């Protein structure tokens, strides 16, 4: 799979960096992950600009192709956030200890920050949507952590 022609709209210095990141992504991603990305033309077309503007997004996609695959497979990159509290509580329900809770929260935060940044940098979300998503994500993470901790501590110590 080749990098999209939108790469050529970037300044030369950024083109070489994005090309290098693209090569690293291809080395790390499995065939299924690469095929799914190839089928997502709006996302693929926006990739050079997004990766050039955010090293955070680029490095996370390159180092964790499964994360990008999850965002593509769910369709979340193309839609505004809907229900953070519900999604987050679902993701945390099977976690057994605080270390797992913290890891789950970090992974979810990383996923959603990539989604929010991608939509913003690609021009798919107005600033108001991006800021609201950040605020809603923060609220949902605090609430989910409290719900998880309250449930475990209530079972152990009572209310």
């Amino acid at each position: 799979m080749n990098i999209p022609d939108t790469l050529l709209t970037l300044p030369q210095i950024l083109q070489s960096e994005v090309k290098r990141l693209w090569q690293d992504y291809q080395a790390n991603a499995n065939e299924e992950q690469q095929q799914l990305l190839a089928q997502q033309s709006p996302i693929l077309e926006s990739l050079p600009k997004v990766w050039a503007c955010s090293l955070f997004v680029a490095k996370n996609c390159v180092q964790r192709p499964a994360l990008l695959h999850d965002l593509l497979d769910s369709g979340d990159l193309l839609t505004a956030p809907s229900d953070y509290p519900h999604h987050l509580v679902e993701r945390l329900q099977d976690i057994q200890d605080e270390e797992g809770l913290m890891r789950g929260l970090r992974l979810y935060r990383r996923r959603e920050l990539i989604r929010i940044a991608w939509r913003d940098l690609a021009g798919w979300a107005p600033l108001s949507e991006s800021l609201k998503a950040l605020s809603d994500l923060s609220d949902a993470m605090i609430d989910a952590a409290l719900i998880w901790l309250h449930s475990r501590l209530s079972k152990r110590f009572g209310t």
Side-chain angles (χ1 to χ4, degrees):
M1 174 172 56
N2 293 326
I3 194 161
D5 292 336
T6 53
L7 176 72
L8 301 175
T9 63
L10 299 174
Q12 186 62 42
I13 193 166
L14 294 176
Q15 286 182 28
S16 60
E17 179 64 16
V18 172
K19 281 181 189 176
R20 186 188 60 73
L21 289 163
W22 179 253
Q23 290 168 346
D24 291 347
Y25 171 78
Q26 288 185 307
N28 293 339
N30 64 36
E31 193 170 321
E32 178 187 353
Q33 293 164 338
Q34 291 183 41
Q35 286 177 353
L36 182 61
L37 179 57
Q39 296 166 359
Q40 305 279 331
S41 61
I43 294 163
L44 191 57
E45 292 297 314
S46 67
L47 184 143
K49 178 183 175 186
V50 171
W51 283 14
C53 292
S54 174
L55 198 54
F56 168 78
V57 172
K59 284 191 172 186
N60 274 285
C61 291
V62 168
Q63 294 170 354
R64 298 169 184 85
L67 185 111
L68 178 58
H69 185 267
D70 178 48
L71 286 165
L72 296 172
D73 194 41
S74 67
D76 288 348
L77 272 181
L78 297 173
T79 60
S82 57
D83 190 7
Y84 281 132
H86 176 73
H87 291 280
L88 190 50
V89 168
E90 272 185 4
R91 285 181 180 251
L92 300 177
Q93 70 184 358
D94 294 331
I95 292 175
Q96 300 301 316
D97 57 18
E98 274 189 59
E99 185 177 318
L101 171 66
M102 297 313 215
R103 183 175 188 278
L105 289 170
R106 283 192 306 273
L107 292 173
Y108 189 76
R109 181 188 66 212
R110 179 182 301 136
R111 178 193 190 276
E112 291 305 307
L113 288 176
I114 289 168
R115 189 191 60 71
I116 293 165
W118 196 299
R119 291 183 49 73
D120 184 55
L121 294 169
W124 301 337
L127 179 61
S128 59
E129 178 187 305
S130 299
L131 294 176
K132 183 173 182 342
L134 289 169
S135 180
D136 290 348
L137 174 61
S138 298
D139 288 344
M141 290 184 67
I142 292 168
D143 290 345
L146 287 173
I147 289 168
W148 188 93
L149 288 166
H150 182 268
S151 170
R152 296 328 182 267
L153 293 173
S154 294
K155 287 177 186 173
R156 185 172 174 189
F157 299 110
T159 49

